[in-house]
Structures are given as structure tokens and as C-alpha cells.
Amino acid sequence: MKSYFFIILGMAIVTFIPRLLPFVLMSKKEINPTLKRFLNYIPYTALGALIIPNVFNAIPNHQGAVFGGIITAIVLSWWKDNIILSVLASVGSTFLIIQYI
Amino acid sequence: MNKCNKKEALSALKDALPIAIGYIPIALAFGIISKTNQLSLLDCFLFSFMVFAGASQFIAVNLISSAVSGFQIIFTTAIMNSRHFLMSASLSTKIKSPRKKLLPLVAFGVTDETFSVLATKNKELSVIYSLVVNTTAYFSWVLGSVTGYLLGSFLPDAVQASMKIALYSMFIAILVPSMKKSKEVVILALLSGGIHTFLNFTNFIPQDNNLIISIILASLLGLIILPKEDEGEVKS
């Protein structure tokens, strides 16, 4: 089998640099308030874009099950702030719909 | 390890569990496609061990099997994973550490998922906590990849399929409680998801870049439309 070590190494480097750079650049200085606001928004804009729209196609050919899983996750996490519970229940309900409906 | 660190580590382990649950089926799938595309077990392991970036690993294996040049594969990876720059930048303001030497280790483990768990914690993060979250996710990813290569898909199809919802439900379970507490979070998340949907729909730019563009655009729009109070401390 061919070895792809150098491709993997190259990918490792270009992936690590953007992960590392901000920690090196920003850990000391006081940051500009507008930049700080921008950075504070990122967790929420990232979550929004990570969920929508890809979640609707999470399991090809099982849109109904996906929908059930999403609703379960939303309702449970609204009711109780317990991530593990929401994830397990969501996977469980998705499974039940795939299996039995 | 002193008592306080131990408590931090345990709560990190608990918080990372949903990531591990979500990573396992994807990692298994990565092991399986590595094998079907004639990669060696060592390469499959090294991919997950050295790169630790799900989507770009899948794309790389696909490109390798269609004989695309190494340079182009690395270039595609660089563009795709540049989004982690934003995530690390956002995290670096939250982790206050006297032990700077450990920060590169934390940085190595920044993924969409570990970032989502860490960045939405309503407190300053310790290096121990961050490291345990990232390492737990990392081990599930590496072990899952190797297991998938060796054992194939030993999970029943319906289980494997339904576990694909896990990471999304984790994102939802992180986001919804914050949305409940803050109208700003609702606006930011919906704005960003809306932009992402629009970009995917219109096909303006290569799909791989839509995620990072949506995050940047929505955050910039947030600067314009949201009030400035508390230096943008999103209350959640």
C-alpha cells in the first residue's frame, strides 16, 4: 500500500496553524472592544451555521426521523439544560422512528 | 492532582461525553472509507492522530482516491480549516492561563464541537478543563477511526444512522438554553443559519467556504444591529 504520510503531515500543519495562531497572538494584549464583541458573537453564529441548514440532511432518506430527533432535542433542552440527556433522547427517538415508522 | 483540578477534570469529562458519542459513528465511518479506498491502517490512524479534523479528512481520502495532487489536497484543507482561526481567537479570550506552555495542546484540539462546548461555558475556562474536553473528544476520534478500519461497521445500520443526529442535537442542546436567556443569541444564530442556507442555495462560492463566510458575516452584522452594552458580553 502506498504511504500518504507527506499529505497527512501537510494537512496536519495547515490545520494546526490557524488553531494555534490566535493563542500566540492574543493571549497577552488587551483587545479592542469592537473586536471583543465580534469574538463574543462567534460561538452563537458558529452554532447557528453549524446547525442550519445541514441538520435537515443529517440522515439521507430519513427526513422524518431527523425531524423527530430535532424536535426532541429542542423540547428537552428548552425544558432542562442537560446536554447528555438531550443527545441520548434525540438519538433514541431518531432510532425509534427509523426502526418502527 | 489537587482536589479542585480533579473536580474540573470530572466535569470536563461529563461535558465532553456528548462529543464522544457524536464522534464515534463518524470516526467509524472514516475508518471504513479509509479501508475501502486502499489506505493503510497506519495512514488511517495518522490522519486522525495528526490532523484531527473530521470533514477535511473525509474530503482528503476522497481526493486521494481520485488521484488529486497532494498540494491541492493540502490547499483545500487549509481553506476549510481556516475557520478554526476564528474559533481559537474567540476561545483565547476566555482561557486565562498561567501555564502558557499547555496552550498549544489546547489549540490542537479546537474543533467545531469542542469549541461549541468550551466557548459557551458561562465562566473563564481553566487549562485543565479545556484540555480534558479536547482530549476526550480526540481519543474517541482516534480510537473510533482505528476501530472502524479493523472491525468495519459492527453497529446495526439503524443505530449507525440514528447516531448521525448526535452532534446536531448536541449543538441544539448547547444553543437552546442560551437562546432562552438572550434575544441577542436568537438573532445571531438565526442570522447565521439563514445566511448559510442562502449561500448553499445560491451556490455563489464553493460550498466548503460557506460555513466560515456565514460566521463572519453574521458576526459583523451583529456588530451593526445589536446594542453595544457590556462590550458585547452576550448574556447567557
Side-chain angles (χ1 to χ4, degrees), chain B residues 122-173:
Chain B
N122 209 358
K123 54 168 192 185
E124 258 183 19
L125 297 167
S126 72
V127 168
I128 281 284
Y129 178 87
S130 317
L131 265 182
V132 173
V133 167
N134 291 7
T135 312
T136 309
Y138 179 59
F139 277 117
S140 72
W141 181 248
V142 176
L143 285 176
S145 308
V146 172
T147 309
Y149 192 98
L150 293 174
L151 300 185
S153 120
F154 63 90
L155 295 170
D157 283 351
V159 175
Q160 178 104 3
S162 49
M163 282 177 85
K164 285 186 188 155
I165 197 89
L167 289 179
Y168 291 106
S169 29
M170 180 184 80
F171 291 142
I172 291 171

Side-chain angles (χ1 to χ4, degrees), chain A residues 15-27, chain B residues 84-85 88-89 92 107:
Chain A
T15 303
F16 186 49
I17 290 172
R19 283 172 174 170
L20 177 67
L21 218 50
F23 285 99
V24 178
L25 297 177
M26 319 214 348
S27 48
Chain B
H84 294 136
F85 182 88
S88 279
S92 68

Side-chain angles (χ1 to χ4, degrees), chain B residues 33-51:
Chain B
I33 75 141
S34 300
K35 193 174 183 182
T36 47
N37 283 292
Q38 318 285 328
L39 263 69
S40 66
L41 174 61
L42 179 65
D43 278 352
C44 166
F45 165 76
L46 287 177
F47 256 118
S48 294
F49 184 76
M50 290 172 63
V51 183

Side-chain angles (χ1 to χ4, degrees), chain A residues 69 72-73 76-77 80 82-91, chain B residues 169 173:
Chain A
T72 309
L76 270 182
S77 56
K80 242 183 165 163
N82 181 336
I83 296 171
I84 297 180
L85 176 76
S86 303
V87 170
L88 292 178
S90 165
V91 172
Chain B
S169 29

Side-chain angles (χ1 to χ4, degrees), chain B residues 19-222:
Chain B
I19 306 179
I21 296 172
Y23 273 3
I24 286 167
I26 306 172
L28 290 175
F30 179 73
I32 294 164
I33 75 141
S34 300
K35 193 174 183 182
T36 47
N37 283 292
Q38 318 285 328
L39 263 69
S40 66
L41 174 61
L42 179 65
D43 278 352
C44 166
F45 165 76
L46 287 177
F47 256 118
S48 294
F49 184 76
M50 290 172 63
V51 183
F52 187 33
S56 58
Q57 289 179 219
F58 278 94
I59 290 173
V61 171
N62 266 325
L63 293 179
I64 283 176
S65 70
S66 31
V68 171
S69 77
F71 175 78
Q72 212 174 322
I73 295 172
I74 294 167
F75 184 73
T76 309
T77 307
I79 295 193
M80 252 194 104
N81 292 341
S82 58
R83 69 180 184 283
H84 294 136
F85 182 88
L86 289 174
M87 297 183 183
S88 279
S90 179
L91 265 188
S92 68
T93 67
K94 273 195 84 149
I95 300 178
K96 294 288 185 289
S97 160
R99 282 178 288 180
K100 293 260 183 296
K101 278 184 194 153
L102 292 174
L103 284 178
L105 278 180
V106 176
F108 175 79
V110 174
T111 63
D112 297 342
E113 293 76 21
T114 57
F115 168 74
S116 302
V117 167
L118 293 175
T120 49
K121 279 279 148 193
N122 209 358
K123 54 168 192 185
E124 258 183 19
L125 297 167
S126 72
V127 168
I128 281 284
Y129 178 87
S130 317
L131 265 182
V132 173
V133 167
N134 291 7
T135 312
T136 309
Y138 179 59
F139 277 117
S140 72
W141 181 248
V142 176
L143 285 176
S145 308
V146 172
T147 309
Y149 192 98
L150 293 174
L151 300 185
S153 120
F154 63 90
L155 295 170
D157 283 351
V159 175
Q160 178 104 3
S162 49
M163 282 177 85
K164 285 186 188 155
I165 197 89
L167 289 179
Y168 291 106
S169 29
M170 180 184 80
F171 291 142
I172 291 171
I174 292 173
L175 188 56
V176 167
S178 301
M179 286 177 138
K180 243 171 92 175
K181 286 178 219 151
S182 155
K183 214 197 294 171
E184 298 185 358
V185 172
V186 178
I187 294 169
L188 289 167
L190 292 183
L191 200 57
S192 178
I195 294 171
H196 195 192
T197 310
F198 176 76
L199 290 178
N200 279 359
F201 188 68
T202 50
N203 259 329
F204 268 149
I205 14 193
Q207 290 260 345
D208 301 342
N209 304 322
N210 287 353
L211 182 63
I212 184 171
I213 293 170
S214 313
I215 296 171
I216 294 176
L217 273 183
S219 304
L220 286 176
L221 280 172

Side-chain angles (χ1 to χ4, degrees), chain A residues 9 14 17 20 22 28 36 42 47 51 58 60 63 72 94 96:
Chain A
L9 181 66
V14 300
I17 290 172
L20 177 67
K28 280 177 196 155
K36 173 101 178 127
I42 286 186
L47 281 164
I51 299 169
Q63 257 70 20
T72 309
T94 306
L96 290 177

